[in-house]
Amino acid sequence: MPHQHKRQKNGTVLATNADQPAAGPSKPSPRLFAPFRALGHVTDHVPYAMFVHTPQGALATPTVNITTSVGRSWLMWDAARMTLVFAGPDAGAQINALTMTGTEIFASAGTRVIKYHRGKETGSYLSPDESNLGKMLIFGDELLILKEDGTGMFIYDLPTRQLKNQLTFHSSFTATHLMHPSTYLNKVLIGSQQGELQLWNVRTCSLIHTFAHPTPASSSPITAIVQSPAIDVIGVGYLDGRVRVLDIRQGDLVMQMKIEDGAVAALTFRMDGPPILATASSTGSLVTWDLSKGGRVLHVVRGAHDQSVTGLQWVAGQPLLISSSADNSVKQWLCDSPTGMPRLLKFRGGHHAPPTCIRYYGEDGKQILTAGRDRSLRYTSVVRDSRSFELSQGSLIKKAIGLGVTVDHLKYPQITAISSSSIRSKDWEDVVTAHADDAIARTWRVQEKRLGPWTFEMENGVAQAVSVTACGNFSLVGSSTGEIRMYNMQSGKERRSFSLSGPAPGTSKPSIIAQSKTAKAKAAQLKATEGMKKSLEAITGLVSDALNRVVVASTLEGKLYFFDFHTTQLTHAVQLSTSITSMSLNRDSGLISLTCDDLVVRLLDIETRRIVRELRGFKGRILDTVFSPDSRWLIATSLDSTIRTFDIPTGRLVDAFKTTSIATSLTFSPTGDFLATAHVDSVGIHLWANKAQFSDIALRHIPEEEDVPEVDLPSVQGLEEDAAIEGVEPIGAPEFTNIYTTPEQLTEGLLTLSLMPRSRWQTLLNLETIKQRNKPKEPPKAPEAAPFFLPTVSGLETRFDFSATQDKNEDEGKNGQRLELSSGWLESEFTKRLSKEDEDGDYNSFFEYLKSLPPSTLDMEIRSLISLDHLASFLNALIGRLQSHKDFEAVQAIMSVFLSVHGDILISNEELKSKLEELRQEQKRESSRLRELVGYALGTLGFLRGT
């Protein structure tokens, strides 16, 4: 679900329309991760407006779409199913107000009002004095906009977007809200911070009347103004909780009410007949009033929202009340009778406090488990917003109403650790969580969207670390006093326990046996437990390998304990020089990430039990780390608001970018496409696209002193199918132009092999054998050609005479045309290239051509060297290539074929003897160098293996 960076101001936006989604501009991208979009945000603290589209036809029903502001952008929802229709683009500043027509949305953000059509920006209205703009109202063909500071109002022509006029209020009048009274031509009513109301004529820009506050000595700011179904009657809400119904024609007070739990955040009149007024408070309560009985309270829905209700409106012609709140939720309330209590019909919501722990769930990378300061556990879908939900903790709403408290008071403590395994998700519980200052670890079942029946309670201390095994059958729980217990996820029973010191406890006894202990034994055990409580260490991390062979526990004292999974024996211990605050394991590679207090992330190999990497460069406390699925990267976030990516094989920092707010938790998709982050002042989950999935990325080492770029967080705007992520290049195009290219030879002292496939030079060496093996057993026989007129031989039997044909074939065999090399020699490309090379050079171009020839062609070309000049040139080529230390194995194969074919000619000619001697010496020298290099490498490898 899309979400936006920061949350400011007060209020939320409700609106209706039926437009379709459209893409907006992308954010600038960092080196490796590009901002993609954000999930989990429904509303933000922004004022609202609402429009109901009524289609033509007697049987047609109104179509209600809800548009909510999420800070710098807005979202549109289908009220019938509460599904996301589309997201608007980034407005560039915090949205202060929204208003709508049938097809267009107007958003007040910063110094301009932006006009959107079908989600795309089509125009803007700029502030002439560059002041921030606030509330606005569409008034015929005019757009009225209040300044955010309440000192004036601008009047724009709606079609041409030109400024028509401007109002400046008195210094004692600070405007907060504006409204058009029904049937009042060219007139608007403006409320103030001082509690006064002023009626203005926008055509003549003149003040008509001022409605003073009923009690000027104790005036209260106006927080809401709405039109009632009756002409000349309006409702006004105040900060002190009072609601006044005024007749503005007579200037009389019709009735007055007061809510008891905070300020009036919003109010609305029911428009389908019954004289009902609904009000919302700053504490999240809803109150309905019966105006036919003098404003008597009908119903009070306490805790309707967890935070202030910032948007409230009845749907015209329906008993449907829509409310939105700063708790990141939109709710629909239905009244079954004119005086019935509003009941919750549908709602959409997210975290109303920033998430503190997020982890991908499953192996497909489509869902994330998120836990926040609102003490809830949510399942957030990356693919489709409608699949997101909160895991139920029971019927808390009914209990909260009965006790008169909010739902948050009844929820379990804040979740501090999450572990899951979806292998057995269809059979039993698959998620385990640890909670702040709670000795109980709880199980959850995602498939059933609820809390599981099992609780894992520690005898001493607080449950701090949890881990579900790779098979999904067991859960490990560690406490702040050093207890480590293993539970069965299917039955919820304890199976084993691990001891940091002393003998292994082994398999735990069933509870029925444990209950049969005598009081003396229980007292002794309690005394021993109290003594152990003082000496044991706090568990900060628990992991188990992919095959359930090893259990690793980390402690705050900087120790790592390795246990046998089945016998619970302590097999090894490692002491670090600093405290370990958290630990995570990549089961595929066996690497453990240790987050330490000295601002260093250490990587430990679970097989060798040694530290293999130390990743440094952090300038603040490390908050969270995560491995990439292929274990090549480690991504870490710290208090310096920087997200760093380390290349594990080299131990180098390859990417770093700073965000506008601190990332408190992060998780990497199992498919490697997205990095998800949670931030300290955001209720949403931000997705960053892994650019290495879409293009060739040339990673480079980033020095610590290099400035880290600051990157905006992903906005709510998704991308269309044909839209590209900004910063992602086409496939095959590198990101950096100065890409390092491996030289042909690193140094002159090294011996370089060729890139010729091994099968090619092996075929060249064994070409004769291959030909003999593939040679047919007998040559094919041509059929005898019969003459056109078949002569016969005289005799009793009819026989044909073939003697003439046989004589002709014998003559052709004797006098056949045989190509004599001496008579018609044509120089080939092979010999041409050989002759062009410099005798003292390295024959580079000639050998490149030679390596491109098929083995059979190369063999034929070598055999075609019949002149002494060509043989001498070829010997020079072999000598020059050996001296250049290149293509060693290719030279050996070619030289072997060359000597075997032309050996007799080379020996019988004295002019080639010097070249042969030189080739033998160069071959001996290079072979000796190769033996020395290989021997050194083998010796070094054997030494390392021996240690």
Side-chain angles (χ1 to χ4, degrees):
M1 192 183 303
H3 153 260
Q4 178 52 30
H5 332 213
K6 298 181 179 179
R7 303 167 55 209
Q8 301 172 355
K9 304 293 178 185
N10 287 325
T12 298
V13 179
L14 295 180
T16 58
N17 204 343
D19 295 337
Q20 299 300 319
S26 302
K27 293 286 183 183
S29 62
R31 296 181 181 90
L32 189 56
F33 295 101
F36 185 66
R37 66 187 181 98
L39 313 170
H41 219 165
V42 179
T43 66
D44 208 342
H45 305 189
V46 182
Y48 80 99
M50 187 171 184
F51 179 86
V52 179
H53 172 62
T54 305
Q56 300 295 326
L59 299 178
T61 58
T63 301
V64 181
N65 284 349
I66 305 170
T67 302
T68 61
S69 169
V70 286
R72 295 161 62 99
S73 187
W74 47 269
L75 306 175
M76 182 172 286
W77 309 83
D78 179 15
R81 296 176 297 172
M82 291 304 290
T83 56
L84 183 64
V85 178
F86 66 91
D90 194 326
Q94 190 77 16
I95 294 179
N96 294 323
L98 283 178
T99 188
M100 297 186 64
T101 63
T103 58
E104 295 171 333
I105 298 176
F106 296 82
S108 171
T111 61
R112 61 176 184 153
V113 171
I114 307 172
K115 178 182 177 182
Y116 300 96
H117 178 71
R118 299 185 63 81
K120 295 183 179 179
E121 182 178 338
T122 59
S124 61
Y125 303 82
L126 301 178
S127 174
D129 57 0
E130 298 185 353
S131 59
N132 290 336
L133 304 178
K135 301 294 188 298
M136 55 185 171
L137 173 68
I138 296 178
F139 191 54
D141 59 352
E142 294 178 340
L143 178 63
L144 312 181
I145 310 172
L146 290 176
K147 291 185 179 182
E148 190 178 16
D149 56 9
T151 58
M153 182 175 68
F154 300 115
I155 303 172
Y156 292 89
D157 185 69
L158 198 60
T160 64
R161 303 198 298 272
Q162 299 295 324
L163 181 64
K164 294 178 62 176
N165 220 324
Q166 179 176 350
L167 296 180
T168 301
F169 303 120
H170 192 270
S171 59
S172 61
F173 185 89
T174 305
T176 56
H177 289 78
L178 75 164
M179 185 211 70
H180 166 60
S182 298
T183 72
Y184 281 62
L185 187 63
N186 299 326
K187 296 176 180 63
V188 294
L189 197 63
I190 301 175
S192 70
Q193 189 76 22
Q194 292 75 23
E196 293 182 349
L197 286 170
Q198 290 185 354
L199 186 65
W200 284 79
N201 188 317
V202 296
R203 181 64 58 85
T204 61
C205 295
S206 58
L207 177 62
I208 298 176
H209 187 71
T210 299
F211 301 89
H213 193 277
T215 55
S218 59
S219 60
S220 179
I222 294 176
T223 57
I225 311 173
V226 293
Q227 174 70 49
S228 73
I231 298 175
D232 303 329
V233 178
I234 64 169
V236 184
Y238 295 87
L239 189 64
D240 60 0
R242 298 186 184 276
V243 179
R244 293 183 173 88
V245 180
L246 303 176
D247 185 340
I248 57 176
R249 177 176 292 274
Q250 302 297 330
D252 296 335
L253 177 64
V254 178
M255 64 183 67
Q256 177 176 293
M257 296 83 75
K258 190 176 188 304
I259 60 178
E260 302 297 335
D261 55 348
V264 177
L267 66 156
T268 179
F269 289 91
R270 188 167 172 175
M271 295 293 182
D272 62 336
I276 304 296
L277 172 67
T279 61
S281 71
S282 58
T283 59
S285 299
L286 295 179
V287 182
T288 56
W289 311 81
D290 188 351
L291 302 181
S292 63
K293 297 183 179 180
R296 190 183 69 177
V297 175
L298 278 178
H299 302 287
V300 179
V301 182
R302 300 190 184 277
H305 288 274
D306 295 307
Q307 296 181 22
S308 174
V309 177
T310 53
L312 186 68
Q313 190 163 346
W314 289 96
V315 177
Q318 299 184 35
L320 184 64
L321 180 66
I322 299 179
S323 64
S324 61
S325 171
D327 65 356
N328 198 25
S329 67
V330 178
K331 296 184 178 182
Q332 298 184 32
W333 308 85
L334 181 66
C335 294
D336 298 315
S337 64
T339 59
M341 183 175 183
R343 64 178 178 86
L344 184 62
L345 181 64
K346 302 172 185 176
F347 77 98
R348 287 304 303 270
H351 285 289
H352 62 265
T356 56
C357 185
I358 61 174
R359 293 292 182 266
Y360 264 96
Y361 172 80
E363 299 299 326
D364 56 0
K366 295 181 179 179
Q367 46 275 328
I368 304 175
L369 293 176
T370 63
R373 293 203 295 262
D374 55 357
R375 302 161 71 180
S376 65
L377 178 64
R378 295 190 62 86
Y379 171 102
T380 302
S381 174
V382 177
V383 179
R384 183 170 296 177
D385 171 78
S386 59
R387 297 176 182 173
S388 302
F389 56 85
E390 179 181 349
L391 276 72
S392 173
Q393 298 185 19
S395 56
L396 301 182
I397 297 178
K398 186 179 296 184
K399 294 179 182 178
I401 294 174
L403 297 175
V405 296
T406 62
V407 176
D408 279 355
H409 284 81
L410 301 180
K411 288 184 177 180
Y412 293 117
Q414 177 182 332
I415 295 174
T416 57
I418 302 174
S419 182
S420 66
S421 175
S422 60
I423 300 297
R424 307 302 297 270
S425 60
K426 295 182 179 179
D427 302 323
W428 50 72
E429 284 66 32
D430 52 354
V431 180
V432 177
T433 58
H435 302 256
D437 301 327
D438 194 348
I440 299 175
R442 294 173 173 84
T443 60
W444 308 76
R445 191 166 185 179
V446 173
Q447 192 172 20
E448 296 183 359
K449 307 178 183 180
R450 62 167 176 83
L451 182 73
W454 317 127
T455 57
F456 305 147
E457 185 173 2
M458 310 303 289
E459 292 185 1
N460 301 291
V462 175
Q464 292 189 154
V466 292
S467 177
V468 179
T469 58
C471 61
N473 295 323
F474 302 99
S475 173
L476 295 162
V477 183
S479 75
S480 59
T481 58
E483 287 184 89
I484 303 175
R485 299 180 182 274
M486 180 189 295
Y487 297 87
N488 186 279
M489 293 290 286
Q490 180 182 11
S491 63
K493 296 181 179 180
E494 182 181 343
R495 292 307 183 196
R496 295 182 182 89
S497 61
F498 301 83
S499 175
L500 301 184
S501 60
T507 303
S508 300
K509 295 181 179 180
S511 57
I512 188 172
I513 299 178
Q515 291 175 359
S516 62
K517 293 181 180 179
T518 61
K520 184 177 181 181
K522 289 182 179 180
Q525 182 189 16
L526 181 62
K527 185 176 181 181
T529 302
E530 291 296 329
M532 291 177 62
K533 184 176 179 181
K534 297 179 180 178
S535 61
L536 291 179
E537 309 167 52
I539 303 295
T540 57
L542 276 175
V543 294
S544 61
D545 67 338
L547 300 178
N548 287 351
R549 297 176 304 174
V550 181
V551 174
V552 185
S554 65
T555 66
L556 198 61
E557 282 72 16
K559 289 185 178 181
L560 284 174
Y561 296 91
F562 294 81
F563 299 94
D564 185 274
F565 185 91
H566 302 285
T567 64
T568 72
Q569 291 286 341
L570 179 62
T571 60
H572 191 73
V574 176
Q575 176 68 60
L576 300 184
S577 59
T578 181
S579 298
I580 303 174
T581 57
S582 65
M583 177 174 61
S584 63
L585 168 69
N586 185 286
R587 288 192 170 107
D588 294 335
S589 64
L591 289 179
I592 298 178
S593 168
L594 304 174
T595 303
C596 303
D597 264 350
D598 58 352
L599 306 185
V600 176
V601 176
R602 292 173 171 86
L603 300 183
L604 181 137
D605 187 359
I606 198 171
E607 296 293 336
T608 62
R609 300 168 184 175
R610 291 188 174 187
I611 301 295
V612 295
R613 291 290 184 275
E614 289 188 353
L615 308 178
R616 303 175 181 272
F618 299 94
K619 298 178 176 60
R621 185 167 63 89
I622 304 170
L623 301 177
D624 199 5
T625 60
V626 64
F627 285 97
S628 63
D630 57 2
S631 302
R632 288 194 62 87
W633 297 340
L634 181 84
I635 301 94
T637 177
S638 57
L639 272 179
D640 57 358
S641 192
T642 303
I643 297 175
R644 295 174 172 86
T645 302
F646 294 90
D647 185 62
I648 294 178
T650 61
R652 298 294 186 89
L653 178 67
V654 296
D655 182 67
F657 61 93
K658 185 173 292 186
T659 56
T660 53
S661 63
I662 298 173
T664 57
S665 182
L666 44 79
T667 179
F668 209 99
S669 170
T671 57
D673 48 0
F674 293 115
L675 172 70
T677 59
H679 296 261
V680 69
D681 59 353
S682 173
V683 295
I685 308 301
H686 300 266
L687 291 181
W688 306 81
N690 180 9
K691 293 166 63 177
Q693 293 280 323
F694 308 98
S695 65
D696 293 335
I697 300 297
L699 299 178
R700 65 183 181 90
H701 170 57
I702 301 177
E704 293 184 11
E705 62 274 7
E706 182 174 327
D707 292 335
V708 177
E710 184 170 338
V711 180
D712 290 336
L713 296 181
S715 65
V716 300
Q717 176 62 60
L719 297 178
E720 292 181 340
E721 294 181 359
D722 57 347
I725 301 174
E726 184 178 343
V728 175
E729 305 292 338
I731 295 297
E735 183 178 10
F736 298 104
T737 56
N738 55 343
I739 297 177
Y740 176 77
T741 303
T742 304
E744 188 175 350
Q745 191 173 23
L746 297 179
T747 61
E748 295 182 357
L750 295 179
L751 192 64
T752 305
L753 302 181
S754 69
L755 297 179
M756 179 187 293
R758 183 179 180 181
S759 59
R760 182 172 295 182
W761 56 265
Q762 282 186 339
T763 302
L764 179 63
L765 290 173
N766 302 288
L767 192 60
E768 289 296 330
T769 305
I770 295 173
K771 287 182 178 180
Q772 291 296 327
R773 184 185 61 191
N774 297 336
K775 185 178 180 180
K777 294 182 179 179
E778 59 182 16
K781 296 180 180 180
E784 295 181 352
F788 183 76
F789 295 101
L790 301 178
T792 59
V793 178
S794 61
L796 296 176
E797 296 180 0
T798 302
R799 291 184 300 170
F800 297 104
D801 186 7
F802 294 103
S803 58
T805 304
Q806 294 175 358
D807 295 341
K808 183 179 178 181
N809 291 337
E810 291 176 0
D811 294 341
E812 288 180 356
K814 293 178 181 179
N815 303 321
Q817 295 181 1
R818 183 176 180 180
L819 180 62
E820 295 293 338
L821 295 177
S822 60
S823 61
W825 172 255
L826 295 176
E827 191 174 10
S828 65
E829 181 68 21
F830 184 85
T831 56
K832 287 180 181 179
R833 290 176 177 266
L834 180 61
S835 301
K836 290 180 181 179
E837 292 288 342
D838 184 10
E839 291 185 2
D840 298 330
D842 59 357
Y843 290 82
N844 187 60
S845 60
F846 171 71
F847 267 84
E848 291 300 324
Y849 169 75
L850 185 143
K851 290 187 294 184
S852 66
L853 296 177
S856 58
T857 305
L858 179 58
D859 181 77
M860 184 196 69
E861 294 286 0
I862 294 174
R863 292 178 183 274
S864 300
L865 299 173
I866 58 174
S867 67
L868 295 180
D869 293 338
H870 288 162
L871 294 176
S873 298
F874 198 78
L875 287 172
N876 283 330
L878 295 176
I879 295 170
R881 206 58 178 173
L882 286 174
Q883 290 175 349
S884 65
H885 311 311
K886 298 177 182 178
D887 301 328
F888 182 80
E889 84 281 17
V891 171
Q892 301 304 309
I894 294 169
M895 184 169 57
S896 176
V897 175
F898 174 74
L899 294 177
S900 64
V901 171
H902 301 288
D904 53 347
I905 300 176
L906 297 173
I907 295 173
S908 61
N909 290 276
E910 289 292 335
E911 55 267 38
L912 299 177
K913 183 177 180 181
S914 61
K915 293 292 182 182
L916 285 174
E917 288 290 339
E918 188 178 354
L919 177 61
R920 185 177 68 85
Q921 293 176 3
E922 196 62 40
Q923 171 68 15
K924 183 178 180 180
R925 185 183 302 112
E926 288 301 310
S927 300
S928 176
R929 289 182 67 252
L930 179 62
R931 286 194 296 270
E932 289 178 2
L933 292 173
V934 173
Y936 175 79
L938 292 176
T940 305
L941 184 60
F943 173 77
L944 294 176
R945 284 179 176 176
T947 57

